């Protein structure tokens, strides 16, 4: 199942949103990975709308380096899982391609 492969965090995504949101503008793979962790935490708490927001923020923060491509694949996979849980199958399939 998708949920079991997502990274989990002990703190809620909403609680950390304010402190991390400003950091995403720096456009690094490390920050995108952090957005992925927060998205995974949101999925774990069944806050799928927030999860999609975090995965999108992570994707928007990436460039085109090898590290960015690896992180992009991880974010797309996790976003696809969240979309599947929301029964948004066409969008999930696009992310999985």
């Amino acid at each position: 199942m998708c949920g079991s492969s997502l990274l989990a965090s002990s703190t809620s995504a909403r609680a950390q949103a304010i402190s991390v949101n400003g950091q995403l503008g720096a456009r690094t793979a490390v920050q995108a990975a952090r957005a992925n962790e927060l998205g995974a935490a949101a999925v774990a708490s069944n806050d799928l709308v927030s999860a999609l927001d975090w995965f999108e923020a992570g994707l928007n923060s990436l460039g085109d380096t090898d590290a960015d491509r690896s992180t992009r694949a991880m974010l797309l996979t996790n976003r696809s899982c969240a979309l599947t849980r929301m029964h948004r199958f066409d969008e999930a399939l696009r992310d999985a391609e």
Side-chain angles (χ1 to χ4, degrees):
M1 171 160 261
C2 289
S4 64
S5 67
L6 297 174
L7 296 174
S9 174
S10 61
T11 311
S12 76
R14 286 196 187 277
Q16 296 180 16
I18 296 171
S19 64
V20 175
N21 190 35
Q23 296 176 14
L24 289 175
R27 304 196 184 279
T28 68
V30 171
Q31 289 162 335
R34 181 67 179 141
N36 185 64
E37 290 175 10
L38 294 169
V43 169
S45 66
N46 207 34
D47 186 358
L48 300 175
V49 172
S50 289
L52 292 180
D53 289 341
W54 281 115
F55 297 140
E56 187 68 25
L59 288 164
N60 288 335
S61 72
L62 293 172
D64 196 29
T65 67
D66 287 340
D68 290 340
R69 285 190 289 274
S70 173
T71 303
R72 185 179 314 283
M74 179 177 54
L75 285 159
L76 287 170
T77 298
N78 287 342
R79 188 172 72 177
S80 179
C81 288
L83 289 166
T84 298
R85 291 174 106 185
M86 297 172 80
H87 301 274
R88 292 168 56 179
F89 303 116
D90 290 336
E91 293 169 88
L93 285 170
R94 280 193 295 275
D95 276 358
E97 291 179 343

